[in-house]
Amino acid sequence: MARLPIIVAPDPRLKRKCAAVEAVDETVRTLMDDMLETMYAAPGIGLAAPQVGIASRVIVVDIAREGEERSPYRMANPEVVHVSEELASYEEGCLSLPEHYSEVTRPSEATIRYLDENNERREVEVEGMLATCIQHEIDHLDGILFVDRISRLKRDMIIKKLVKAKRAEARASD
Ligand code: NI
């Protein structure tokens, strides 16, 4: 397994619509494992392929807390097939928007259809933080970041700070 560099916003690679995988083969399985390793090391609870520069519909999620047993999901071509009318708000963060958090409202329950690491078609009903996290990761596959779901004012503020941080970093490495 290998750790992959995580792309930080703003970056056009985070705004692309990703392509479905044809099947979960060895290449996709390796990507899933590398993404999990990258996510655990960060640490984070979810990661989508575009965040590591791959425009494929692949996500990994594990909301287990530190000290709890790991329970990773590896999903290819995940689709939201049903959502509850009930909504829930969580403070969301993103490894591509480091150190920025904002409350985002999404359906509190969702049914997700996907291909697992063995290329088996699966469907899972999720709720709470897991539902939020999976919906956040699926958004990434369509070029949507959590800041696209908050007020423009807050979004602009966060993006401005990230641009500034990138400039400072570029200067430091000159
Ligand atoms: Ni994210």
Side-chain angles (χ1 to χ4, degrees):
M1 295 215 285
R3 279 187 208 174
L4 309 166
I6 296 173
I7 295 168
V8 172
D11 190 298
R13 290 170 291 178
L14 296 171
K15 303 305 291 176
R16 293 182 293 190
K17 191 164 170 64
C18 298
V21 303
E22 268 177 45
V24 179
D25 55 14
E26 205 47 54
T27 308
V28 175
R29 247 192 309 277
T30 302
L31 172 64
M32 288 169 162
D33 287 341
D34 288 348
M35 284 169 58
L36 270 178
E37 186 181 336
T38 304
M39 181 193 86
Y40 287 131
I45 57 171
L47 189 67
Q51 294 180 274
V52 293
I54 312 261
S56 294
R57 302 190 80 81
V58 174
I59 64 171
V60 294
V61 167
D62 188 346
I63 62 157
R65 289 173 195 282
E66 220 190 311
E68 282 178 4
E69 203 181 320
R70 284 182 174 177
S71 55
Y73 282 95
R74 297 169 174 85
M75 297 182 166
N77 303 344
E79 265 179 276
V80 179
V81 292
H82 178 78
V83 291
S84 61
E85 270 177 44
E86 200 183 315
L87 304 174
S89 296
Y90 280 93
E91 180 105 316
E92 294 191 23
C94 180
L95 294 175
S96 293
L97 299 138
E99 288 163 50
H100 293 282
Y101 302 88
S102 196
E103 192 112 315
V104 181
T105 302
R106 301 179 187 271
S108 62
E109 292 167 35
T111 306
I112 314 294
R113 193 175 291 161
Y114 65 100
L115 288 173
D116 72 7
E117 62 273 27
N118 299 311
N119 200 41
E120 303 273 352
R121 189 160 283 284
R122 284 181 182 271
E123 209 171 278
V124 67
E125 278 173 40
V126 290
E127 57 174 18
M129 178 133 86
L130 183 57
T132 286
C133 186
I134 292 175
Q135 292 175 81
H136 170 125
E137 300 312 327
I138 292 176
D139 267 355
H140 273 296
L141 305 180
D142 295 315
I144 299 167
L145 303 175
F146 83 80
V147 288
D148 295 318
R149 297 198 177 277
I150 62 176
S151 76
R152 174 173 215 138
L153 189 73
K154 269 193 187 164
R155 173 169 66 246
D156 289 351
M157 209 169 69
I158 291 175
I159 297 294
K160 219 163 126 187
K161 283 185 183 159
L162 287 165
V163 169
K164 227 171 147 184
K166 273 195 179 183
R167 277 206 206 111
E169 208 175 296
R171 265 200 307 272
S173 61
D174 268 352

